[in-house]
Amino acid sequence: NSSPGHIPLSDTPGHIPLDGAQSGSSEGNGSGELSTVARSVLMKVLYAARCFRFDLLRAVCALARCVTCWTPTHDRQLLRLIGYIQKTVNYRAVAWIGDPLEALEVHTFSDADFAGCSVTQRSTSGAHTVLRGESSYFSLAGQSKRQDCVSHSTPEAELVALDHALRKQGLPMQQLWSAIKGTDMRLVLQEDNTTAAHVCRTGRNPTMRALARTHRVSVAWLFEVVSQDSVDLLEQPTDRMAADIYTKA
């Protein structure tokens, strides 16, 4: 396709890390050519990503953190993102509702990578919330966010991600749909890390005694919420974790 404005996909790099410029590389020094327009481009993509292209959230949020220190490496990363959008412009968000409101539940999926940011060594939280029933699956919200603290293990990162998903998506959606329904709506939390799920159910873990304050507060609050009758915590196989797309690039 040689139409004006088209970016050849063959010019996009095979693999470029999304978290910051490559340290020690001459390509990561200096200001990138797209530094003056990067904010505008990324915000336009972010609008679409939040509405119906959840698969773009991980990449666009990672690049948005770099707008104040834009480098030629980020130019190529943005080129790769736009090339992907051009190639998948026919992708659509699909949902279906085949159950009455009384048969629906709010399901919140939570996932995290471990030290996914090569610059800060912080992990990334992913959250995905849907209305779900026997014949229904309707996506309500998705989010990819770098965590505000450094975790020492995958279970610690998963606990921070689960705390964020529950506070920012799960409980607000449960309250909203409970008001619409007129009675309490059941909230189901989906977690794919067995250790993190065990800590949430028991409120402690002998192998994680030296937790920082941020993680201790998350564990105590998660235990309190999961103990409620209207909230259930289920372990989900990794290959069926809907929030995985928000933590892997």
Side-chain angles (χ1 to χ4, degrees):
N1 188 348
S2 58
S3 59
H6 175 74
I7 301 175
L9 294 179
S10 59
D11 290 348
T12 59
H15 173 72
I16 297 179
L18 285 173
D19 292 297
Q22 297 172 344
S23 58
S25 171
S26 59
E27 296 181 276
N29 298 325
S31 179
E33 295 181 19
L34 302 178
S35 60
T36 57
V37 299
R39 292 176 176 85
S40 176
V41 174
L42 288 172
M43 291 307 102
K44 288 181 174 66
V45 176
L46 182 60
Y47 179 82
R50 285 177 168 173
C51 292
F52 49 83
R53 284 297 300 270
F54 293 154
D55 58 313
L56 302 176
L57 281 173
R58 172 69 175 95
V60 70
C61 289
L63 281 174
R65 295 196 296 265
C66 305
V67 293
T68 59
C69 53
W70 199 264
T71 67
T73 298
H74 299 128
D75 283 345
R76 301 208 316 276
Q77 293 173 347
L78 182 57
L79 174 65
R80 183 185 180 196
L81 174 61
I82 299 302
Y84 171 75
I85 295 173
Q86 288 181 340
K87 192 172 182 180
T88 59
V89 70
N90 61 327
Y91 280 16
R92 298 290 185 272
V94 179
W96 57 93
I97 296 291
D99 300 292
L101 181 60
E102 294 73 19
L104 298 178
E105 301 171 339
V106 175
H107 285 241
T108 295
F109 297 81
S110 172
D111 193 29
D113 63 0
F114 176 54
C117 179
S118 59
V119 178
T120 64
Q121 305 307 317
R122 293 179 180 177
S123 306
T124 303
S125 297
H128 186 72
T129 300
V130 302
L131 272 182
R132 196 169 179 178
E134 186 174 345
S135 302
S136 303
Y137 193 96
F138 197 101
S139 297
L140 299 173
Q143 187 178 26
S144 176
K145 182 181 183 299
R146 189 175 65 181
Q147 295 181 1
D148 297 327
C149 57
V150 177
S151 298
H152 290 88
S153 63
T154 298
E156 287 188 21
E158 293 280 356
L159 288 170
V160 175
L162 188 57
D163 177 277
H164 177 81
L166 188 56
R167 287 190 298 112
K168 298 299 184 180
Q169 289 191 16
L171 291 179
M173 286 295 181
Q174 182 192 34
Q175 294 172 3
L176 172 64
W177 286 97
S178 293
I180 295 174
K181 182 180 177 182
T183 58
D184 287 342
M185 176 79 80
R186 182 169 175 252
L187 172 62
V188 180
L189 301 177
Q190 304 276 6
E191 172 61 51
D192 65 348
N193 187 277
T194 302
T195 302
H198 175 75
V199 171
C200 290
R201 293 191 182 101
T202 61
R204 61 186 181 85
N205 191 324
T207 63
M208 298 173 62
R209 283 175 289 188
L211 289 176
R213 178 184 297 180
T214 301
H215 297 81
R216 292 201 310 270
V217 171
S218 295
V219 170
W221 184 76
L222 286 169
F223 172 68
E224 183 176 300
V225 173
V226 170
S227 300
Q228 298 177 11
D229 294 336
S230 60
V231 178
D232 289 331
L233 176 63
L234 301 180
E235 293 183 39
Q236 185 75 258
T238 300
D239 58 355
R240 299 186 62 184
M241 172 49 64
D244 185 72
I245 195 173
Y246 304 115
T247 62
K248 309 297 187 297

